[in-house]
Each structure stands twice: as C-alpha cells, then as structure tokens.
C-alpha cells in the first residue's frame, strides 16, 4: 500500500512538535526553580509543612536545608498540623530549625493541632503563632505495650523468646512486666521527658519550674497556651507573615510571596516498581498470616518505640 506523503509529513511534524513541547516543559521547569524570578518585586518566604504523625524527618530536613541555602528566601514559616510522633524524627527537625534560625528568621504557625512532637518542633523557632482553638501542649512521652498472654492461652498459642540478656525482651506481649523491668522503662521515659522539658524551657526562654505545671501531658488550646507563655501570638498564617516581616526587617507594606517546596515527581517506573514491591510484600505477609497492609513498604511503623504523643 502506497503511503500518502502528506500523512507522512504530518506524522513527522507531530513528532517534532511533541519533542518541542517536552523541551519547553523542562526548560520552563528549570526557570521556575529560580524563585527570584517568581518574586515579582516581593520578598520570598519559604513554607515548610509538618503534617500528620511524625514518623520520618527526611522530607522536612531536606526542605529546611533547601530554604536555608536559597539566597532568595529571606525567612521561613513552619506550618504545623500534627499530634506528634516518634521521638527521634521530632528531635531531628527541632535541631534543624535551631540551626536554620541562626541564618534566617523562623516562625512556627499552628493549624488544627500542634501537640507533643508537633509542639517540640515549634519551640525551636524564633516565634510561635497559634490559632486560639488550636490543640497544643501535650508535653510528655509515652511507650505503648500490651500483655496478651491470656489471649495466647485462649488461642492455644505458645510463644517463646530466646534472648541474650534479661532485659532484651522488655515489653514482650507474652507476659507481664516485672517490677525491675517497669523501673527500667520508667527511667527511660523520664530521661526523654526531661529532654523535652529542657527543649521547651530553652526554646520559650522560661524557667523549667514554670513549664512543669503544664508538662504533664495535658492538652491546651492556643489561647490557654499563650496565657502561660507557650505561644507568642494568636492568629493564622497572616499573623505569622506579619511576624516574619518584623523579624526579617521587611517593610510592613512589602509584598510577601510564600514559596512551597517543589513536590517530588515520581517517574512511571517508580510508580510501577513501588506497586509491584508492595504487592510482593503483602503476598509474603499474607503467607505468614499477618494483617493486610503489613507488607507495604509505605505502611506505618509497627515496632514499639518512644513517642511524643
């Protein structure tokens, strides 16, 4: 069958046009990365979001580092909407904010919830802005354990631990804790709690004795927190912007452009690969009789640990 030259020409033109569009897309993407071009005469302020349960610090640390090194970013707002999370990641983000604030002003802005680990992160900032009804506080540490020995007995299941030392299976769900084990865990909790207490006292420039009455795990509203010195000002993102202007010595009439970190683009191969890996792990988990979702590489952490919750 003889090919129509016009059809062939149109096909070739279509291919070149598609390549041109791809070129423009990636070129413009690189241009957009230069935030100074997006400022449009205003001042750029970076926004780092800390949302949900804090189980990983990698994303927040990367964003803080990026804004710290970007000369077009004059200050940073950390928007927190989290009930807390694991101790380690919360402390890492806290320490990163302390480092960054030596270079640029950092203001913590609370949304619905900024409690426990969420509040731990906030005290590293220069100032804290909270909505009056935000749930905050909850200064404390917790480790959840369970004694399922009676359940195993009912199910006629016998479980055994072979260990290298007498404390290696502390908190095992196969038996009750001994008084010696309970004392050991309590000392651990108290140690980390004192770290939390010191971080709040240092960050808020308050005596430890002034913080202690409100550091028993209780939840406070933003208004209550401000009354006892745990928050600097009441309001939303607009108030946080005004505070950033003040700290960064930006003219009150100057326009502020909020800059959000660019979302990571996942390639098609990454999406397919992640799906295949999750399916494989879920299948393996089901073969072991584990609940659905336990095999997911992106599932929640299931190990026991210390939490600011």
């Amino acid at each position: 069958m003889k090919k129509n030259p016009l059809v062939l020409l149109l096909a070739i033109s279509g291919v070149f046009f598609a390549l041109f569009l791809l070129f423009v897309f990636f070129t413009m993407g690189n241009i957009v990365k230069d935030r100074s071009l997006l400022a449009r005469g205003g001042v750029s302020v970076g926004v780092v979001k800390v949302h949900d349960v804090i189980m990983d610090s990698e994303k927040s640390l990367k964003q803080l580092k990026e804004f710290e090194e970007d000369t077009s970013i004059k200050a940073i707002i950390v928007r927190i909407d989290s009930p807390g999370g694991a101790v380690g990641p919360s402390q890492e983000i806290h320490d990163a904010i302390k480092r960054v604030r030596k270079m640029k002003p950092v203001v913590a802005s609370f949304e619905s919830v900024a409690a426990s680990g969420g509040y731990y992160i906030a005290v590293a900032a220069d100032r804290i802005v909270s909505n009056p009804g935000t749930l905050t506080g909850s200064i404390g540490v917790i480790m959840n354990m369970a004694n399922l020995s009676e359940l195993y007995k009912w199910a006629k299941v016998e479980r055994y631990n072979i260990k290298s030392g007498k404390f290696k299976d502390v908190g095992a769900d196969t038996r009750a804790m001994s008084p010696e084990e309970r004392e050991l865990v309590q000392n651990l909790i108290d140690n980390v709690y004192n770290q939390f207490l010191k971080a709040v006292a240092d960050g808020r420039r308050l005596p430890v004795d002034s913080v202690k009455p409100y550091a028993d795990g209780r939840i406070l509203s933003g208004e209550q927190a401000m009354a006892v010195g745990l928050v600097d000002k009441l309001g939303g993102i607009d108030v946080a912007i005004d505070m950033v202007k003040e700290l960064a010595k930006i003219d009150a009439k100057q326009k502020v452009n909020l800059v959000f970190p660019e979302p990571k683009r996942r390639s098609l191969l990454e999406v397919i690969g992640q799906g295949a890996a999750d399916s494989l792990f879920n299948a393996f988990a089901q073969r072991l009789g584990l609940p659905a979702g336990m095999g997911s590489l992106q599932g929640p952490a299931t190990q026991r640990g210390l939490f600011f919750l």
Side-chain angles (χ1 to χ4, degrees):
M1 182 177 178
K2 188 176 180 179
K3 294 182 180 178
N4 189 325
L6 181 59
V7 174
L8 184 61
L9 179 62
L10 289 173
I12 294 173
S13 299
V15 170
F16 278 103
F17 183 68
L19 291 173
F20 171 74
L21 290 178
L22 287 173
F23 172 77
V24 170
F25 175 77
F26 286 108
T27 301
M28 289 304 294
N30 290 329
I31 293 175
V32 167
K33 287 180 181 178
D34 184 357
R35 297 191 177 99
S36 62
L37 295 179
L38 294 177
R40 298 176 183 175
V43 177
S44 296
V45 172
V47 180
V48 175
K49 290 186 176 182
V50 180
H51 285 187
D52 305 319
V53 177
I54 303 163
M55 296 302 298
D56 186 359
S57 62
E58 183 179 358
K59 181 179 177 182
S60 296
L61 295 180
K62 182 179 179 181
Q63 292 172 354
L64 287 165
K65 185 69 173 176
E66 180 184 343
F67 286 145
E68 179 186 13
E69 296 176 347
D70 191 333
T71 56
S72 70
I73 300 295
K74 303 306 178 185
I76 299 171
I77 294 175
V78 181
R79 285 282 278 173
I80 302 173
D81 193 1
S82 170
V87 169
S90 300
Q91 291 182 324
E92 287 186 341
I93 299 171
H94 170 276
D95 292 348
I97 292 174
K98 284 183 67 176
R99 185 195 71 244
V100 173
R101 63 179 276 195
K102 294 177 182 178
M103 304 294 294
K104 301 176 181 181
V106 180
V107 171
S109 173
F110 293 169
E111 295 185 47
S112 298
V113 182
S116 207
Y119 185 71
Y120 191 106
I121 288 171
V123 298
D126 292 292
R127 298 286 188 277
I128 298 176
V129 176
S130 173
N131 292 299
T134 295
L135 296 181
T136 187
S138 188
I139 300 170
V141 186
I142 189 169
M143 177 183 283
N144 291 310
M145 299 179 185
N147 177 9
L148 304 179
S149 57
E150 293 300 318
L151 179 62
Y152 289 133
K153 188 183 298 184
W154 172 82
K156 298 182 180 179
V157 173
E158 291 188 51
R159 291 187 59 189
Y160 305 94
N161 290 324
I162 300 174
K163 55 187 179 179
S164 59
K166 65 178 181 178
F167 292 123
K168 191 60 183 173
D169 66 340
V170 168
D173 61 7
T174 55
R175 59 180 177 79
M177 293 180 69
S178 68
E180 191 177 13
E181 289 174 327
R182 185 173 291 277
E183 181 182 5
L184 179 76
V185 175
Q186 187 63 58
N187 287 336
L188 170 64
I189 296 293
D190 292 343
N191 178 267
V192 179
Y193 167 75
N194 286 326
Q195 294 175 33
F196 196 164
L197 195 60
K198 185 178 185 304
V200 174
D202 290 348
R204 299 303 303 158
R205 300 175 183 84
L206 294 170
V208 171
D209 289 341
S210 297
V211 177
K212 269 188 177 180
Y214 310 100
D216 54 4
R218 72 180 65 189
I219 296 292
L220 302 170
S221 71
E223 191 172 66
Q224 290 174 320
M226 182 176 172
V228 297
L230 299 181
V231 164
D232 292 296
K233 202 164 186 179
L234 297 179
I237 186 69
D238 291 340
V239 174
I241 292 172
D242 290 340
M243 188 165 284
V244 155
K245 284 184 176 181
E246 179 185 339
L247 293 174
K249 295 179 171 58
I250 300 170
D251 189 285
K253 296 180 181 179
Q254 183 78 29
K255 176 185 175 184
V256 168
N257 302 291
L258 298 182
V259 179
F260 297 84
E262 296 176 13
K264 180 183 177 183
R265 295 180 180 178
R266 299 178 68 194
S267 67
L268 181 60
L269 287 177
E270 286 179 316
V271 174
I272 294 174
Q274 182 66 61
D278 282 354
S279 297
L280 179 62
F281 272 77
N282 277 321
F284 180 67
Q286 289 174 5
R287 289 290 298 273
L288 294 177
L290 298 175
M294 286 286 284
S296 174
L297 292 177
Q298 295 181 327
T302 56
Q303 295 181 335
R304 288 193 304 272
L306 287 174
F307 291 90
F308 291 141
L309 284 173

